[in-house]
Amino acid sequence: MTVGRPREFDVDKALDQALQVFWLKGYEGASLSDLTEAMGITRPSLYAAFGNKEALFRKAVDRYQGWAKAASCRALSATTSREVVEQMLRVAADWHTDPCHPRGCMMMQGTLACGSDAEALREEMVSRCAEGQAAMQTRFEQAKSEGDLPDDADPGALARYVTTVLRGMAVDAAGGASRQDLYKTIDIALRAWPVNGKAQPNRVAKAMTRRA
Amino acid sequence: MTVGRPREFDVDKALDQALQVFWLKGYEGASLSDLTEAMGITRPSLYAAFGNKEALFRKAVDRYQGWAKAASCRALSATTSREVVEQMLRVAADWHTDPCHPRGCMMMQGTLACGSDAEALREEMVSRCAEGQAAMQTRFEQAKSEGDLPDDADPGALARYVTTVLRGMAVDAAGGASRQDLYKTIDIALRAWPVNGKAQPNRVAKAMTRRA
DNA sequence: TTTCTTTTCTACCGGTCGGTATATAATAGA
DNA sequence: TCTATTATATACCGACCGGTAGAAAAGAAA
């Protein structure tokens, strides 16, 4: 029951369009003309609805990260650390080569692709990416305590390694690598994963609920 | 014995300064004002000496790639494929965290960090990066024929894997990762390297000349 | 219908972008 | 010294940047 002239466009759809533009062109590479044309609205409408360009970018990143976090949570709940990593990498490979949207990682394309004046933005994005790495680290610490990883395993270093491969794959995809190429890379990357000689007490029980 | 007024600045030194600016700010993020200030020359001097901004960037990339190719050749001449990869990754880690210049990879920071109008530039950089990957692939094919890699090894996929890790590390470094962090990542990444059960006839002989 | 609120549109702001016209200064050869 | 040639410095170009003022339009409440 709002008063005043009703908005003529769908805010969420417009945000999706803006996300695509940022993904493709980066934060600074996406001009307001690019954005308003893709969103199908005029400049003042954009400012009234989203604040300014930076706020619009943040909202686009929020939406993007929502998807990423959902996929990440699903992967983190896999039974073994190895399965966590494999799912993480495969989902990323599928995502970064999905023909429904631009290739590569939106946050990397959008934020690494920005000059120095948006330094604060970049640092925020770096720390946002670090969240995912930290989540993996805690998951691997849990795996270690469960005996799913050997005693000499370094959860932090392992999480960093996976993050590095993820970032590399995102660049590969942005540069045109095919999904099959990324799959082959994943097969090799996974051979670095430590195998433990200890018993894994919860493994069978967890495996039964894995596909729930 | 050239005629006319002599140039008052050192072209190579100016190009080095331009390289630093592009490295730090990217192709589009580096404005002509940024460049001329860092190079210590005026705008018309820049255009007279280098053509235009894009030509200047290409020359800067040429110089950067010269260093990269030299290091790459050194690594490729190592005895075993594993040593090739280890040296490749370690040199890259050192390079990308060298305090003497901006962090990360100049070509990635410079080119991935550009909008859509410089699409041709980006594609050229992508193909330039592919050269290094191709060189690794031929080196690994040689290793396979020498028995240094198992018969079921896929030289192309292995080269892609190493390239992916290299790209990931470059992003890590640009985001602030320490050299020690990258070293730990390398230790893990190397565990993916295939081990062969076959004899390696030339291994001892080559190892003797390795440190020559 | 009148009033109030909010969105939409056109047109514009100062600033910066990459690039250049023009005039002057500095050298080599005649 | 005079001329040809090249580099320098100032000042400027049209185009585009992110962002906004102000009027018209469309709804809800009175």
Side-chain angles (χ1 to χ4, degrees):
Chain A
M1 210 55 71
T2 61
V3 71
R5 177 172 174 172
R7 180 169 280 137
E8 293 182 358
F9 64 95
D10 184 327
V11 177
D12 283 336
K13 286 198 178 293
L15 184 55
D16 272 333
Q17 296 303 316
L19 170 54
Q20 302 256 350
V21 176
F22 281 129
W23 200 336
L24 207 58
K25 304 197 164 192
Y27 173 65
E28 294 198 325
S31 71
L32 282 182
S33 301
D34 294 330
L35 291 164
T36 52
E37 185 185 5
M39 300 164 86
I41 63 178
T42 61
R43 217 172 276 232
S45 296
L46 189 155
Y47 277 80
F50 300 101
N52 61 8
K53 188 184 176 183
E54 185 171 339
L56 174 63
F57 181 72
R58 260 177 237 275
K59 278 172 182 146
V61 171
D62 285 341
R63 161 158 310 208
Y64 182 83
Q65 224 175 11
W67 300 334
K69 278 181 178 166
S72 174
C73 277
R74 241 175 288 128
L76 287 170
S77 67
T79 311
T80 66
S81 67
R82 189 200 162 85
E83 284 168 330
V84 167
V85 175
E86 176 162 11
Q87 198 169 327
M88 213 90 172
L89 294 173
R90 292 215 115 86
V91 168
D94 290 342
W95 179 253
H96 293 150
T97 58
D98 191 323
C100 296
H101 51 239
R103 301 175 73 86
C105 170
M106 184 262 178
M107 292 180 66
M108 285 175 56
Q109 298 292 111
T111 312
L112 287 188
C114 76
S116 52
D117 48 338
E119 198 71 35
L121 235 185
R122 169 143 58 182
E123 286 179 12
E124 179 185 331
M125 295 304 138
V126 168
S127 74
R128 284 212 206 187
C129 288
E131 292 174 17
Q133 182 177 315
M136 270 196 283
Q137 178 171 346
T138 47
R139 177 64 184 82
F140 296 157
E141 284 164 355
Q142 172 200 332
K144 189 174 171 183
S145 71
E146 286 175 347
D148 175 34
L149 279 173
D151 289 336
D152 62 345
D154 182 340
L158 288 171
R160 251 194 319 266
Y161 167 70
V162 177
T163 304
T164 301
V165 175
L166 283 169
R167 287 175 177 154
M169 289 201 312
V171 179
D172 293 343
S178 73
R179 186 171 291 184
Q180 278 67 32
D181 285 346
L182 297 184
Y183 282 173
K184 288 187 193 167
T185 297
I186 293 173
D187 290 339
I188 298 175
L190 279 172
R191 292 170 41 185
W193 205 249
V195 288
N196 68 326
K198 296 181 57 176
Q200 297 167 34
N202 296 334
R203 192 162 187 177
V204 177
K206 277 190 181 168
M208 291 180 63
T209 62
R210 184 177 151 211
R211 297 286 178 201
Chain B
M1 211 56 69
T2 63
V3 70
R5 177 171 175 174
R7 179 169 281 137
E8 293 182 357
F9 64 95
D10 183 327
V11 177
D12 283 337
K13 285 199 178 292
L15 184 55
D16 272 334
Q17 296 305 315
L19 170 53
Q20 301 258 350
V21 175
F22 281 130
W23 200 336
L24 206 58
K25 303 197 163 192
Y27 173 64
E28 294 198 325
S31 72
L32 282 181
S33 301
D34 294 331
L35 292 165
T36 52
E37 185 185 5
M39 300 164 86
I41 63 178
T42 60
R43 218 172 277 231
S45 296
L46 189 155
Y47 277 80
F50 301 101
N52 60 9
K53 187 184 177 184
E54 184 171 339
L56 174 63
F57 181 72
R58 262 178 235 276
K59 279 173 181 141
V61 170
D62 285 341
R63 162 158 310 207
Y64 182 83
Q65 225 176 10
W67 301 332
K69 278 180 178 167
S72 175
C73 278
R74 241 174 289 129
L76 286 171
S77 67
T79 310
T80 65
S81 66
R82 188 200 162 85
E83 284 169 329
V84 168
V85 175
E86 175 162 10
Q87 198 169 329
M88 212 92 172
L89 294 173
R90 293 215 114 87
V91 169
D94 290 342
W95 178 253
H96 293 150
T97 58
D98 191 324
C100 295
H101 51 240
R103 301 176 73 88
C105 170
M106 183 263 178
M107 292 179 66
M108 286 175 56
Q109 297 293 110
T111 313
L112 287 189
C114 76
S116 52
D117 47 340
E119 197 71 35
L121 236 186
R122 169 142 60 181
E123 287 180 13
E124 180 184 330
M125 296 302 139
V126 168
S127 74
R128 284 213 206 186
C129 288
E131 293 174 17
Q133 181 177 316
M136 270 196 283
Q137 177 171 347
T138 49
R139 177 63 184 84
F140 297 157
E141 283 164 355
Q142 172 200 333
K144 190 174 170 183
S145 72
E146 286 175 347
D148 174 35
L149 278 174
D151 289 337
D152 63 344
D154 181 342
L158 289 171
R160 250 193 322 264
Y161 167 70
V162 177
T163 304
T164 302
V165 175
L166 282 170
R167 286 174 178 156
M169 289 200 313
V171 179
D172 292 344
S178 73
R179 187 172 291 186
Q180 278 66 32
D181 285 346
L182 297 184
Y183 281 173
K184 286 187 194 166
T185 297
I186 293 173
D187 290 338
I188 298 175
L190 279 173
R191 292 171 41 185
W193 206 249
V195 288
N196 68 326
K198 297 180 59 177
Q200 297 167 35
N202 296 336
R203 191 162 188 178
V204 177
K206 277 190 181 169
M208 291 180 63
T209 63
R210 183 178 152 210
R211 295 286 176 202

